[in-house]
């Protein structure tokens, strides 16, 4: 930008170019100013998200090489995969890619494509549990503190303090549901911060990391699914993984992703 402005001075009559920059940069002179590398706007997105983002505006990502530096073969692979998942389709009339009804639902969710498909197709009766699973990162061990100072001044690993009744014998995914359910119950009391902090400390967890999981739950529910977050939260608080666990696992196994 600075180099371009300097080039415009003197075209029609003598003039002065004033450079608004830090003093140390001025001292180095014009030669120290280097043009910045042009970064493709979609360069930080996965091939799947590039294809979905383009299809949202009815643009075929296979013909756009300025938006991303991803290899063409990766884009082509994503197109085939997203068609197989019924998220995009080829419009022969407009000669472009477009989102399907399911694709629009998945594209609205703040999730990776596979997790988005899992949430978007979920039956209502198990939806609170599936949204809870989607709210977590891949594992749960990052929620636990590496060291906890006990009352007797000894140190313990955070996971050793975890309430073992919340560990579901069939799947760690169902354990995630139990964790978020109990954390929401703790946070629902009058003094929100202290009750959540207290519950987290008792179970050797970071309260801030649990808040991030809760925020993702909020992002998915009203913004992505267009459902009432309070109602979804209340349903999750009443969600029994012992009763509904088999249905959740059966649904997850039935998915293509």
């Amino acid at each position: 930008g600075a180099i371009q402005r300097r080039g415009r001075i003197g075209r029609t009559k003598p003039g002065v170019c004033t450079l608004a920059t830090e003093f140390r940069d001025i001292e180095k002179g014009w030669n120290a100013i280097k043009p910045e590398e042009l970064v493709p706007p979609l360069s930080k997105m996965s091939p799947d998200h590039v294809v979905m983002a383009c299809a949202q505006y009815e643009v075929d990502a296979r013909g756009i090489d300025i938006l991303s530096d991803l290899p063409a073969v990766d884009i082509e692979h994503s197109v085939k995969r997203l068609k197989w998942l019924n998220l995009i389709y080829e419009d022969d009339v407009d000669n472009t890619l477009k989102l399907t009804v399911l694709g629009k639902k998945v594209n609205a969710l703040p999730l990776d494509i596979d997790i988005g498909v899992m949430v978007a197709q979920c039956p209502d009766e198990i939806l609170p549990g599936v949204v809870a699973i989607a709210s977590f990162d891949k594992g749960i061990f990052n929620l636990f503190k590496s060291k906890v100072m006990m009352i007797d001044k000894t140190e313990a690993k955070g996971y050793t303090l975890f309430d073992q009744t919340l560990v579901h014998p069939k799947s760690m995914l169902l354990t995630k549901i139990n964790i978020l359910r109990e954390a929401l119950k703790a946070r629902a009391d009058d003094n929100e911060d202290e009750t959540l902090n207290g519950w987290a400390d008792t179970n050797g967890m970071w309260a801030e990391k649990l808040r991030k999981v809760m925020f993702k739950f909020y992002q998915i529910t009203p913004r992505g699914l267009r459902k009432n977050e309070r109602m979804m939260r209340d349903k999750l608080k009443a969600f029994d993984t012992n009763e509904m666990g088999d249905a959740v696992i059966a649904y997850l196994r039935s998915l293509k992703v």
Side-chain angles (χ1 to χ4, degrees), residues 113-156:
I113 300 299
D114 290 352
I115 305 299
V117 171
M118 176 184 81
V119 171
Q121 297 186 117
C122 185
D124 286 342
E125 59 268 20
I126 59 171
L127 184 58
V130 171
V131 173
I133 293 171
S135 301
F136 285 81
D137 291 331
K138 292 183 178 180
I140 63 171
F141 289 101
N142 66 322
L143 297 175
F144 294 100
K145 299 177 180 179
S146 57
K147 292 180 181 179
V148 177
M149 185 64 68
M150 308 299 288
I151 297 178
D152 60 0
K153 303 301 181 182
T154 59
E155 291 184 348

Side-chain angles (χ1 to χ4, degrees), residues 9-245:
I9 296 301
R11 284 189 173 184
T12 58
K13 60 182 179 180
V16 177
C17 177
T18 301
L19 181 62
T21 185
E22 295 184 18
F23 182 76
R24 64 174 183 270
D25 292 333
I26 297 176
E27 283 185 321
K28 296 176 183 177
W30 285 99
N31 292 333
I33 301 174
K34 305 294 183 184
E36 294 184 1
E37 180 183 0
L38 179 63
V39 179
L42 302 182
S43 61
K44 294 184 178 180
M45 298 175 67
S46 70
D48 287 349
H49 279 106
V50 169
V51 174
M52 293 285 283
C54 290
Q56 179 182 359
Y57 299 100
E58 301 183 1
V59 175
D60 192 337
R62 294 170 295 187
I64 304 296
D65 59 357
I66 62 172
L67 295 179
S68 173
D69 55 2
L70 291 168
V73 65
D74 290 348
I75 296 294
E76 185 63 43
H77 175 75
S78 288
V79 169
K80 292 179 180 178
R81 179 173 179 273
L82 295 174
K83 284 182 178 179
W84 179 69
L85 291 173
N86 193 32
L87 300 182
I88 61 173
Y89 70 97
E90 197 116 24
D91 190 316
D92 295 331
V93 176
D94 296 334
N95 194 29
T96 189
L97 295 175
K98 295 182 180 181
L99 294 176
T100 63
V101 174
L102 177 60
K104 291 177 181 178
K105 291 180 180 179
V106 172
N107 202 47
L109 292 166
L111 300 167
D112 290 338
I113 300 299
D114 290 352
I115 305 299
V117 171
M118 176 184 81
V119 171
Q121 297 186 117
C122 185
D124 286 342
E125 59 268 20
I126 59 171
L127 184 58
V130 171
V131 173
I133 293 171
S135 301
F136 285 81
D137 291 331
K138 292 183 178 180
I140 63 171
F141 289 101
N142 66 322
L143 297 175
F144 294 100
K145 299 177 180 179
S146 57
K147 292 180 181 179
V148 177
M149 185 64 68
M150 308 299 288
I151 297 178
D152 60 0
K153 303 301 181 182
T154 59
E155 291 184 348
K157 299 289 186 182
Y159 66 85
T160 63
L161 304 178
F162 184 54
D163 184 354
Q164 294 301 302
T165 62
L166 299 180
V167 178
H168 200 282
K170 291 188 176 180
S171 173
M172 188 60 67
L173 297 176
L174 300 178
T175 300
K176 289 182 178 182
I177 299 175
N178 289 340
I179 291 174
L180 184 54
R181 182 192 65 218
E182 296 306 312
L184 286 172
K185 286 181 179 179
R187 192 170 184 261
D189 294 336
D190 293 337
N191 193 340
E192 293 183 358
D193 290 335
E194 281 197 1
T195 53
L196 179 61
N197 287 346
W199 187 85
D201 288 341
T202 300
N203 287 276
M205 295 181 173
W206 296 103
E208 285 304 316
K209 292 186 177 182
L210 287 171
R211 287 189 180 92
K212 289 182 179 179
V213 176
M214 293 177 182
F215 181 67
K216 178 59 75 68
F217 184 86
Y218 170 76
Q219 284 184 311
I220 295 171
T221 305
R223 299 184 188 181
L225 296 176
R226 299 289 191 270
K227 291 184 179 293
N228 185 285
E229 190 268 341
R230 181 181 292 275
M231 291 179 61
M232 184 72 75
R233 196 189 329 147
D234 289 342
K235 288 180 180 179
L236 179 59
K237 290 177 188 176
F239 198 88
D240 187 346
T241 52
N242 292 324
E243 180 181 340
M244 303 296 294

